[in-house]
């Protein structure tokens, strides 16, 4: 669609195009879904639009609550305008409830509520399969300094507080999520990427019997079916609430 704009970068789920203003970009959300570092791939018609609209609503909510983000507005239903940022090569995962890789790598029982939120850092590098990385290794690689790491961790905790309430209000349990940060042209660190069921685990709280009902990318990762239906349900609940 954005053929008049230059493609700057193509990732697994999004394309980034140049904007006529050099400090902005256009981010187009694709219908592709990938898991396990793209070992598993599929296309779901409408996914790009759903993730773009869900992300835009969440960014607007975070901005209202004084979180600095790259989001500037919607270009159309599957593209957003954002500040041009240089992504810091870290995937910042915050976990409220143990699930996924945390349970595979430890003996924590899936579904255990953590006493306090756990932040895990991963090196953003597909060739290395995004390995878990320690603070000392982040220092060693000079990815960011201690002060910036502290700033990012504090911001992630604040975002968690805000999002936990946001999702609780629409009967969703925010189990965990992954954030990416970047530096804008002024050198400020802002939240980037997207916030959608692709990078959050969201469990349906309207189920009374205590069974886990995932309304997120686990439906694709674990072949649960009803993928687009789950994303549509999240979008519908957000729109009905706002
Ligand atoms: P994990 O349990 O597989 O480590 O995932 C933790 C959270 O991070 C979960 O909400 C899914 C999200 N995530 C991504 O957004 N991208 C990734 O590449 C991975 C592995 C997880
Ligand atoms: N984001 C990763 C991929 O695209 C893995 C995941 O989300 O499970 O393959």
């Amino acid at each position: 669609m954005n053929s008049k704009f230059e493609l700057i970068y193509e990732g697994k789920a999004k394309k980034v195009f140049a904007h006529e203003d050099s400090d902005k970009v256009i981010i187009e959300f694709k219908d592709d879904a990938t898991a396990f570092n793209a070992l598993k791939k599929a296309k779901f018609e409408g996914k790009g639009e759903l993730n773009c609209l869900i992300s835009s609503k969440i960014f607007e909510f975070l901005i209202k609550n004084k979180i600095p983000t790259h989001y500037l507005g919607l270009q159309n239903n599957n593209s957003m305008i954002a500040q041009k940022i240089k992504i810091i090569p870290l995937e910042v995962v915050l976990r409220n409830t143990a699930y996924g890789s945390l349970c595979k790598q430890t003996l924590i029982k899936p579904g255990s509520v953590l006493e306090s939120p756990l932040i895990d850092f991963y090196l953003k590098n597909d060739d290395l399969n995004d390995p878990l990385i320690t603070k000392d290794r982040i220092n060693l690689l000079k990815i960011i300094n201690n002060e910036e790491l502290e700033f990012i961790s504090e911001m992630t905790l604040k975002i968690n507080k805000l999002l936990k309430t946001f999702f609780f209000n629409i009967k969703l349990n925010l189990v965990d999520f992954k954030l990416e940060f970047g530096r804008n042209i002024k050198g400020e660190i802002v939240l980037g990427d997207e916030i959608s069921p692709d990078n959050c685990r969201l469990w349906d709280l309207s189920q009374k019997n205590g069974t886990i009902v995932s309304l997120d990318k686990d439906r694709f990762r674990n072949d649960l079916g009803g993928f687009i239906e789950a994303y549509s349900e999240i979008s519908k609940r957000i729109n009905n609430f706002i």
Side-chain angles (χ1 to χ4, degrees):
M1 73 105 213
N2 280 305
S3 53
K4 70 183 172 114
F5 299 106
E6 181 204 348
L7 179 69
I8 308 175
Y9 170 82
E10 178 160 5
K12 286 179 285 214
K14 297 184 283 298
K15 289 181 183 173
V16 181
F17 294 90
H19 188 275
E20 53 212 17
D21 297 340
S22 61
D23 58 347
K24 294 179 188 157
V25 291
I26 298 166
I27 302 175
E28 185 184 297
F29 288 65
K30 304 198 287 189
D31 283 342
D32 302 315
T34 66
F36 316 114
N37 201 9
L39 282 177
K40 186 168 175 174
K41 282 188 212 171
K43 236 184 201 340
F44 294 94
E45 206 186 318
K47 171 190 184 262
E49 197 169 304
L50 284 163
N51 274 357
C52 179
L53 296 174
I54 292 169
S55 282
S56 77
K57 292 277 187 288
I58 296 176
F59 279 129
E60 280 166 13
F61 165 74
L62 292 176
I63 291 166
K64 254 193 231 149
N65 285 283
K66 300 190 166 45
I67 300 293
T69 87
H70 69 156
Y71 178 77
L72 295 171
L74 278 179
Q75 162 94 347
N76 55 46
N77 281 354
N78 69 343
S79 312
M80 57 174 62
I81 304 169
Q83 293 177 14
K84 184 186 239 172
I85 58 172
K86 195 165 188 298
I87 285 284
I88 294 165
L90 287 178
E91 301 206 343
V92 184
V93 169
L94 184 142
R95 303 173 193 273
N96 292 307
T97 298
Y99 211 64
S101 71
L102 175 64
C103 299
K104 290 191 186 119
Q105 293 165 2
T106 68
L107 294 175
I108 302 177
K109 207 169 138 250
S112 317
V113 177
L114 303 180
E115 267 173 37
S116 54
L118 172 72
I119 297 182
D120 283 331
F121 298 100
Y122 296 83
L123 179 65
K124 189 173 156 63
N125 184 319
D126 281 343
D127 294 339
L128 299 176
N129 231 340
D130 298 345
L132 189 62
I133 187 170
T134 61
K135 284 188 181 183
D136 284 346
R137 287 189 186 193
I138 293 172
N139 246 319
L140 178 78
L141 296 176
K142 297 191 168 42
I143 297 174
I144 44 174
N145 65 36
N146 281 332
E147 209 180 298
E148 290 167 327
L149 196 58
E150 205 44 49
F151 176 76
I152 283 177
S153 303
E154 286 300 318
M155 210 192 318
T156 302
L157 288 171
K158 267 191 214 161
I159 292 168
N160 181 48
K161 270 199 181 153
L162 291 165
L163 290 187
K164 255 172 79 166
T165 309
F166 178 93
F167 285 120
F168 186 77
N169 283 330
I170 53 171
K171 293 198 161 43
L172 293 167
N173 179 13
L174 178 62
V175 171
D176 58 27
F177 56 90
K178 184 264 299 181
L179 303 177
E180 293 182 23
F181 294 87
R183 282 191 183 84
N184 65 17
I185 282 182
K186 291 186 227 155
E188 298 157 340
I189 294 182
V190 300
L191 176 66
D193 195 41
E194 65 180 282
I195 303 189
S196 73
D198 263 20
N199 53 7
C200 299
R201 282 200 172 95
L202 298 164
W203 292 352
D204 194 1
L205 286 171
S206 59
Q207 307 288 320
K208 291 270 181 283
N209 57 5
T211 51
I212 294 171
V213 175
S214 300
L215 295 177
D216 55 54
K217 201 161 90 172
D218 273 351
R219 300 212 71 82
F220 173 64
R221 293 189 188 99
N222 305 330
D223 298 315
L224 302 173
F227 177 84
I228 274 293
E229 291 78 0
Y231 281 45
S232 302
E233 176 65 20
I234 304 277
S235 185
K236 201 172 80 191
R237 289 193 198 180
I238 292 176
N239 288 331
N240 287 344
F241 182 70
I242 286 172

